[in-house]
């Protein structure tokens, strides 16, 4: 399953030709991948307008990744006019399809009040859905909420557990936070 172009350099220009054909034929995943190529300048000259065009076409077909990426661009005004409400709507559509990245970002929207009313309990609910899928940023955000009692009763043991899960994925911030829990004995036996 193709995730991104990070580290791929075998033959991006030929890949672009095939993505282009499939995208023009209406394949939503190809449209999403072509958008990424234009966004990053992989195999083609970087072109944000073209990237956005293909991203919108994929999102119009309900492609979860495209909905997530377009939603986050709208929330932040990244290469597009900022529209946090529309952005949150796109994120919800992707999150409802089970996209862990969109679930994490929608949780962040609820935590900050971006395009939705601030609601810490909703943020926790979305973080938990993504964290259960192994999304490292959701695990860290959920752990922070559990540690601070934001949107949920404070649970230092649960926080330490989620920090550990994220740390085991080699995330430096999570490793540091787990170290702090271990050092202070927050939700886990102190190990100085």
């Amino acid at each position: 399953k193709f995730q991104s172009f990070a580290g791929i350099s075998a033959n991006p220009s030929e890949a672009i030709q095939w993505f282009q054909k499939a995208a023009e034929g209406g394949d939503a995943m190809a449209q999403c991948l072509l958008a990424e190529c234009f966004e990053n300048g992989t195999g083609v000259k970087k072109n944000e307008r073209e990237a956005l065009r293909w991203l919108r076409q994929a999102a119009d077909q309900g492609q979860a990744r495209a909905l997530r990426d377009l939603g986050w661009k709208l929330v932040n005004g990244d290469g597009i006019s900022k529209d946090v409400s529309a952005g949150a709507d796109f994120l919800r559509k992707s999150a409802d399809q089970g996209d862990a990245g969109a679930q994490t970002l929608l949780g962040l929207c609820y935590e900050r009040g971006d395009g939705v009313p601030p609601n810490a309990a909703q943020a926790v609910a979305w973080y938990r859905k993504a964290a259960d899928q192994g999304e490292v940023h959701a695990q860290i955000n959920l752990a922070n909420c559990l540690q601070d009692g934001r949107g949920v009763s404070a649970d230092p043991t649960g926080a330490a557990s989620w920090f550990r899960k994220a740390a085991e994925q080699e995330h430096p911030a999570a490793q540091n936070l787990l170290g702090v829990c271990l050092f202070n004995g927050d939700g886990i036996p102190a190990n100085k």
Side-chain angles (χ1 to χ4, degrees), residues 16-121:
I16 299 300
Q17 292 172 13
W18 292 107
F19 290 155
Q20 184 88 35
K21 287 179 187 237
E24 289 170 356
D27 184 273
M29 186 54 151
Q31 292 167 344
C32 191
L33 295 172
L34 195 55
E36 184 178 337
C37 291
F38 281 109
E39 173 103 8
N40 298 321
T42 305
V44 293
K45 185 177 179 184
K46 188 172 180 166
N47 184 330
E48 289 187 27
R49 180 173 288 158
E50 196 65 8
L52 191 55
R53 179 174 81 88
W54 287 112
L55 191 61
R56 282 187 184 277
Q57 286 188 36
D60 286 347
Q61 293 190 64
Q63 206 282 336
R65 182 171 161 182
L67 289 165
R68 177 192 69 212
D69 292 350
L70 183 56
W72 196 237
K73 284 180 171 297
L74 285 163
V75 166
N76 293 296
D78 180 16
I80 190 170
S81 294
K82 189 172 185 171
D83 185 340
V84 292
S85 180
D89 287 343
F90 280 111
L91 288 172
R92 179 175 300 281
K93 289 176 184 174
S94 181
D96 285 343
Q97 291 183 45
D99 185 284
Q103 291 168 341
T104 303
L105 295 172
L106 186 57
L108 190 58
C109 286
Y110 273 108
E111 194 165 356
R112 299 188 319 197
D114 286 341
V116 293
N119 185 326

Side-chain angles (χ1 to χ4, degrees), residues 149-170:
R150 287 191 326 264
V152 65
S153 296
D155 178 3
T157 302
S161 175
W162 283 111
F163 282 140
R164 181 177 296 281
K165 288 178 183 182
E168 288 171 349
Q169 293 188 62
E170 303 299 321

